[in-house]
Amino acid sequence: MDNVFEIINTDSFADFNHAHEFINQLTNHSTPTREAVALKLEDIIKDNINYFLDDFSIQKINDAIIDINPNVSRAICSILSKNKEFHTPLEDKIILKIESILEDLLNSGENAHLQNNKSHAKNKKMFALYWLLEALSICQSPKNTQKILKILNVTINFCDYTIREKTAKILSLMDNPPDELLQKANIDQNFYVKMQVYDRMRKSK
């Protein structure tokens, strides 16, 4: 089915094999194919969701969160926001990936995550971290609060404001976020980071 025209014209599936053939192209295929699958899946998954709750499909969706094409990542996060069925099976996987990236960044050099030096390897990790944090903001649940807070205590200090912005977004959606972290986001020098916690700070006054 590695044909963009055929992908675009897919609206339903004959069986699980057909659905697996379709979602298999979400990774390890050409950029136009991956993007077409992600965008089409965003349109039709609601009516076909039972085909995509198995381990194979969940892993494909998990891998596609950090596709090098932001259009794919954006479509996958949109799918997660509209289909809560994916939250539980994906949350732990997302957290593990974030923890792995943070470990790599922290071990790559003294305070590498705090410095503005750029490299292809670092940029790739930061890009992946950005989309994983976005996905986590959608899928997070109270059962992983402690793991998530451990992550946020690191990412709130990142040099890249987009990582701090996603950190603040996760904080704003938590039931009882720590005041210290909220305050740190609230006094951030970047407007977009502050705006993520604006409503929470206003309600707490």
Side-chain angles (χ1 to χ4, degrees):
M1 195 194 285
D2 193 357
N3 180 299
V4 171
F5 182 78
E6 186 178 350
I7 291 166
I8 291 172
N9 283 281
T10 299
D11 290 313
S12 60
F13 303 95
D15 51 33
F16 275 97
N17 288 335
H18 185 202
H20 281 182
E21 183 184 352
F22 180 85
I23 202 169
N24 185 51
Q25 297 171 100
L26 193 54
T27 65
N28 301 317
H29 283 69
S30 69
T31 297
T33 296
R34 299 194 318 276
E35 183 171 342
V37 171
L39 295 174
K40 189 62 183 183
L41 199 59
E42 184 181 4
D43 286 339
I44 68 173
I45 199 165
K46 194 80 174 176
D47 294 328
N48 297 277
I49 196 163
N50 289 334
Y51 284 116
F52 301 109
L53 296 174
D54 60 296
D55 291 342
F56 178 82
S57 300
I58 293 295
Q59 190 57 53
K60 285 290 176 180
I61 292 170
N62 183 50
D63 291 342
I65 292 170
I66 56 172
D67 193 283
I68 60 171
N69 180 346
N71 291 332
V72 174
S73 301
R74 193 174 295 108
I76 295 301
C77 286
S78 177
I79 288 168
L80 299 185
S81 70
K82 297 172 184 174
N83 299 277
K84 293 183 178 181
E85 295 89 339
F86 293 114
H87 294 188
T88 298
L90 278 172
E91 184 183 11
D92 289 339
K93 294 178 184 294
I94 291 167
I95 289 172
L96 282 173
K97 279 192 173 182
I98 292 174
E99 290 173 339
S100 177
I101 290 174
L102 291 181
E103 184 177 1
D104 286 347
L105 285 170
L106 295 173
N107 291 336
S108 64
E110 187 177 356
N111 294 329
H113 63 301
L114 303 178
Q115 299 169 3
N116 207 19
N117 58 309
K118 300 292 184 180
S119 70
H120 176 70
K122 182 179 177 182
N123 286 344
K124 189 174 179 181
K125 288 185 176 69
M126 296 293 277
F127 181 85
L129 182 59
Y130 173 91
W131 285 109
L132 286 166
L133 288 172
E134 173 64 13
L136 182 59
S137 75
I138 298 166
C139 296
Q140 66 173 318
S141 70
K143 78 181 179 74
N144 278 314
T145 294
Q146 292 310 309
K147 288 183 179 180
I148 293 171
L149 286 176
K150 187 175 179 181
I151 288 168
L152 301 187
N153 271 290
V154 175
T155 56
I156 194 66
N157 295 310
F158 266 54
C159 180
D160 191 318
Y161 86 85
T162 63
I163 301 301
R164 302 198 309 275
E165 182 185 358
K166 292 305 176 188
T167 300
K169 181 177 182 179
I170 293 170
L171 282 170
S172 74
L173 296 170
M174 295 182 80
D175 290 336
N176 295 293
D179 287 339
E180 180 183 353
L181 284 177
L182 277 178
Q183 288 290 347
K184 201 160 193 175
N186 187 50
I187 62 171
D188 195 280
Q189 61 184 354
N190 185 276
F191 171 80
Y192 295 105
V193 178
K194 290 181 179 182
M195 285 305 297
Q196 289 292 343
V197 297
Y198 175 79
D199 286 341
R200 290 300 294 258
M201 298 303 298
R202 186 178 60 177
K203 290 175 184 176
S204 66
K205 290 181 179 179

